[in-house]
Amino acid sequence: MEEKTYSYKPFERMVNYYETDRMGIVHHSNYIRYFEECRMDLFDQLGLDYVAMEEQGVMIPVLKVECEYRLPARFHDRIRIVPKIEKYSGIIFRISYEIIDVETGELHNTGWSEHCFINNHFKPVIIKREIPEIHKVLSDLEGVDLLSLDKMAE
Amino acid sequence: MEEKTYSYKPFERMVNYYETDRMGIVHHSNYIRYFEECRMDLFDQLGLDYVAMEEQGVMIPVLKVECEYRLPARFHDRIRIVPKIEKYSGIIFRISYEIIDVETGELHNTGWSEHCFINNHFKPVIIKREIPEIHKVLSDLEGVDLLSLDKMAE
Amino acid sequence: MEEKTYSYKPFERMVNYYETDRMGIVHHSNYIRYFEECRMDLFDQLGLDYVAMEEQGVMIPVLKVECEYRLPARFHDRIRIVPKIEKYSGIIFRISYEIIDVETGELHNTGWSEHCFINNHFKPVIIKREIPEIHKVLSDLEGVDLLSLDKMAE
Amino acid sequence: MEEKTYSYKPFERMVNYYETDRMGIVHHSNYIRYFEECRMDLFDQLGLDYVAMEEQGVMIPVLKVECEYRLPARFHDRIRIVPKIEKYSGIIFRISYEIIDVETGELHNTGWSEHCFINNHFKPVIIKREIPEIHKVLSDLEGVDLLSLDKMAE
């Protein structure tokens, strides 16, 4: 396969009112959803079309997720999520996430999620064979600091 | 079709912590979800199998929903939802809901939702022909006070 | 009060995966949340600081909400929400919303929400006296097509 | 303190339609919410009043959460959640959870959450001094199989 040039800029969004709870902070379950938003945005930025993938019958469920809460985010805070493809075995991949306050630079959360590839019958799929472009991207970017990509591209 | 005897008891549940927002009350969007819980429970109690229905390729999306907020519910409140099949045209049906505080009897909310029947291609379905048992139940119970059913059955 | 110039551009966002349901479309309750996102963004664009307002002890709960579903939105769809301050009585205001597909221009949903102003004890607040800048904005923009504001400003 | 007798029965609930995603299964973030429901129910069953605790100014945020997904749950599945107080240091406690299908007995998920005690200013609280009854319950039940409690009580 030919050489591919990647670029990436971290995912940012505001905290919504409906994501807070009666403690006045973001409910802890919502960070798991923020991770997903960041992951889907990462796929977009890397040129992987998740919708098309599901239409071809490949889904990427979550096997395991972990989240460590440091500093609560609040309504209207602007957060930045920095992902990293920690490892990719050909069958399973793990993405880690850091959620940072855009204004203060403080670390809100860290976490990771582990995923595999399945078909519509929830059976494992050999992604290298089924969707080689995903295999290539995950292989190329395993362990890479995504924020350094643009510098590399220059 | 033979005579069918219905019975019904109102749906009850506790308010979850994650359903509150930073005002300290249930976020207003969640009552729309409570309506759905109540509606699915109603189907269960009336002997309609929604899962089987979807497997047969019939779905019941929401056409319109309205909710009026009177008294906020809070974490750990126990609420009762009383539904009523307000009208059924053969194509569209409307269910109204009253959400009542189990402890105090106060009215939290009122609302209603309107629905139709569609197939997997999102095209309208003639429910009388496709799933006559639903047609019968909706026809039988249109405008009926469901809380009076058990007395009728006696 | 001096003359104020407003500008506004419609709120846009992508549909998240976790907002879909097993019908493959956005769960109907989520549009109520999209309305809130749009409303908060509107406040931001009009220079109203909702966080500061709550810190001063004024909250803006929902009194009533309605949503009419036309065309389901799906994962990864980009939607635009166009709000309008339909009426403002000094005590209650109503905002309407149109959710439009950015790519196709098709109308997904219409709806509205009605709100009042309360203090921390959930008692009504005379907003004209408490936070006159909100009163002014709502009065100025009642019934105005927000998308025409930029043209007016020119 | 006098001897206290505990009893416990596992938390059960149905999967709601709005908790599914377009894969047709429960969205993975919702299990984190199920854990919370189970935890609050555990507090209830152990005679700990979480609402009163928050009114006294003590909150129990999540420090860390992990969830491992084995078998997806689907709409209308009835699930049982079995919690266990894995450890309690006087400052931090960890609860583990097993989510089991009521009908088939199969294991859907396992996970755990770690918590501390804070006051309204988000500062740590010495729970032994502030709310000794919680300290006692956590100490008494650390590492205990809650399902065996009723047998012990006999």
Side-chain angles (χ1 to χ4, degrees), chain A residues 11 13-14 16-19 33-34 36-37 40 44 50-51 54 59 75-76, chain C residues 11 13-14 16-19 33-34 36-37 40 44 50-51 54 59 75-76:
Chain A
F11 176 73
R13 54 105 93 204
M14 299 270 273
N16 293 311
Y17 199 91
Y18 61 78
E19 291 163 342
R33 299 182 172 191
Y34 296 171
E36 182 184 87
E37 289 184 41
M40 293 300 188
D44 278 350
Y50 193 84
V51 173
E54 285 205 352
M59 302 186 294
F75 169 58
H76 212 262
Chain C
F11 176 74
R13 55 106 91 202
M14 299 271 273
N16 293 311
Y17 199 91
Y18 61 79
E19 290 162 343
R33 298 182 172 192
Y34 296 172
E36 182 183 87
E37 288 184 42
M40 293 300 189
D44 278 350
Y50 193 85
V51 173
E54 284 204 354
M59 302 186 293
F75 169 58
H76 213 261

Side-chain angles (χ1 to χ4, degrees), chain D residues 104-117:
Chain D
T104 66
E106 286 176 294
L107 185 62
H108 283 300
N109 289 61
T110 59
W112 51 263
S113 59
E114 227 165 70
H115 306 261
C116 65
F117 305 92

Side-chain angles (χ1 to χ4, degrees), chain C residues 24-35:
Chain C
I25 60 177
V26 171
H27 189 268
H28 63 279
S29 62
N30 289 320
Y31 296 101
I32 310 296
R33 298 182 172 192
Y34 296 172
F35 290 170

Side-chain angles (χ1 to χ4, degrees), chain B:
Chain B
M1 244 179 262
E2 81 215 89
E3 206 51 38
K4 190 168 171 179
T5 310
Y6 301 101
S7 78
Y8 181 73
K9 59 183 224 277
F11 176 73
E12 289 190 12
R13 55 105 94 204
M14 299 271 274
V15 168
N16 293 312
Y17 200 91
Y18 61 77
E19 291 163 342
T20 61
D21 65 19
R22 76 180 217 140
M23 255 187 247
I25 60 178
V26 171
H27 189 269
H28 63 280
S29 62
N30 289 319
Y31 296 101
I32 309 296
R33 299 182 171 190
Y34 296 172
F35 290 169
E36 182 183 86
E37 289 184 41
C38 168
R39 194 163 62 242
M40 293 299 189
D41 174 72
L42 174 62
F43 288 165
D44 278 349
Q45 292 198 46
L46 299 179
L48 302 174
D49 188 336
Y50 193 84
V51 173
M53 204 185 319
E54 285 205 352
E55 277 160 9
Q56 284 175 57
V58 174
M59 302 186 293
I60 306 185
V62 180
L63 293 176
K64 201 168 174 180
V65 74
E66 193 181 283
C67 186
E68 192 167 345
Y69 305 91
R70 288 159 188 253
L71 182 73
R74 289 162 189 277
F75 169 58
H76 212 262
D77 283 353
R78 188 157 188 86
I79 56 174
R80 173 181 301 138
I81 313 185
V82 182
K84 186 176 184 179
I85 300 163
E86 291 289 345
K87 51 183 178 185
Y88 171 55
S89 71
I91 293 167
I92 288 174
F93 67 95
R94 178 189 287 209
I95 301 185
S96 67
Y97 313 87
E98 289 193 344
I99 302 187
I100 291 157
D101 191 279
V102 170
E103 205 183 332
T104 67
E106 287 177 293
L107 186 62
H108 284 299
N109 289 61
T110 59
W112 52 264
S113 59
E114 227 166 68
H115 305 262
C116 66
F117 304 92
I118 58 169
N119 62 22
N120 286 334
H121 304 289
F122 287 78
K123 297 294 172 204
V125 153
I126 314 273
I127 201 65
K128 188 175 182 172
R129 201 172 54 203
E130 294 292 333
I131 311 189
E133 71 197 82
I134 294 183
H135 176 74
K136 177 161 171 50
V137 167
L138 291 174
S139 301
D140 284 356
L141 297 181
E142 184 188 1
V144 171
D145 174 4
L146 297 174
L147 299 184
S148 71
L149 284 176
D150 292 317
K151 290 172 210 144
M152 286 164 67
E154 281 165 24

Side-chain angles (χ1 to χ4, degrees), chain C:
Chain C
M1 243 181 261
E2 83 215 85
E3 206 52 38
K4 190 169 170 179
T5 311
Y6 300 101
S7 79
Y8 180 72
K9 61 178 219 283
F11 176 74
E12 289 191 10
R13 55 106 91 202
M14 299 271 273
V15 168
N16 293 311
Y17 199 91
Y18 61 79
E19 290 162 343
T20 61
D21 65 20
R22 76 181 216 139
M23 254 188 250
I25 60 177
V26 171
H27 189 268
H28 63 279
S29 62
N30 289 320
Y31 296 101
I32 310 296
R33 298 182 172 192
Y34 296 172
F35 290 170
E36 182 183 87
E37 288 184 42
C38 168
R39 195 163 61 242
M40 293 300 189
D41 174 72
L42 174 62
F43 288 165
D44 278 350
Q45 291 198 46
L46 300 179
L48 302 174
D49 187 337
Y50 193 85
V51 173
M53 205 186 317
E54 284 204 354
E55 276 161 9
Q56 284 175 57
V58 173
M59 302 186 293
I60 306 185
V62 180
L63 294 176
K64 202 167 174 179
V65 75
E66 194 181 281
C67 186
E68 192 167 344
Y69 305 90
R70 286 155 188 257
L71 182 74
R74 291 162 190 277
F75 169 58
H76 213 261
D77 284 353
R78 188 158 187 88
I79 56 174
R80 173 182 300 137
I81 313 185
V82 181
K84 186 177 185 179
I85 299 163
E86 291 288 343
K87 51 184 178 182
Y88 171 55
S89 71
I91 293 168
I92 288 174
F93 66 95
R94 178 190 287 209
I95 301 185
S96 67
Y97 313 88
E98 289 192 345
I99 302 187
I100 292 156
D101 191 279
V102 170
E103 204 184 331
T104 67
E106 286 177 294
L107 185 62
H108 283 299
N109 288 62
T110 59
W112 51 264
S113 59
E114 227 166 69
H115 305 263
C116 66
F117 304 93
I118 58 169
N119 64 20
N120 287 333
H121 305 288
F122 287 78
K123 297 294 171 205
V125 152
I126 314 274
I127 201 66
K128 187 174 183 172
R129 201 172 54 204
E130 294 293 332
I131 311 189
E133 71 198 82
I134 293 183
H135 175 74
K136 177 163 172 46
V137 167
L138 291 174
S139 301
D140 284 357
L141 297 181
E142 184 188 1
V144 171
D145 174 3
L146 298 173
L147 298 184
S148 71
L149 284 176
D150 292 317
K151 290 172 210 146
M152 286 164 68
E154 282 164 23

Side-chain angles (χ1 to χ4, degrees), chain A residues 21-88:
Chain A
D21 65 18
R22 76 180 218 141
M23 253 188 247
I25 60 178
V26 171
H27 189 269
H28 63 281
S29 62
N30 289 319
Y31 296 101
I32 309 296
R33 299 182 172 191
Y34 296 171
F35 290 169
E36 182 184 87
E37 289 184 41
C38 168
R39 194 162 63 243
M40 293 300 188
D41 174 72
L42 174 61
F43 288 164
D44 278 350
Q45 292 198 47
L46 300 179
L48 301 174
D49 187 337
Y50 193 84
V51 173
M53 204 187 317
E54 285 205 352
E55 277 160 9
Q56 285 174 58
V58 173
M59 302 186 294
I60 307 185
V62 180
L63 293 175
K64 202 168 174 178
V65 74
E66 193 181 284
C67 186
E68 191 167 346
Y69 305 90
R70 287 157 188 254
L71 183 74
R74 289 162 190 277
F75 169 58
H76 212 262
D77 283 354
R78 188 159 189 85
I79 55 174
R80 174 182 299 137
I81 312 185
V82 182
K84 186 177 186 179
I85 299 163
E86 290 289 345
K87 51 184 177 184
Y88 171 55

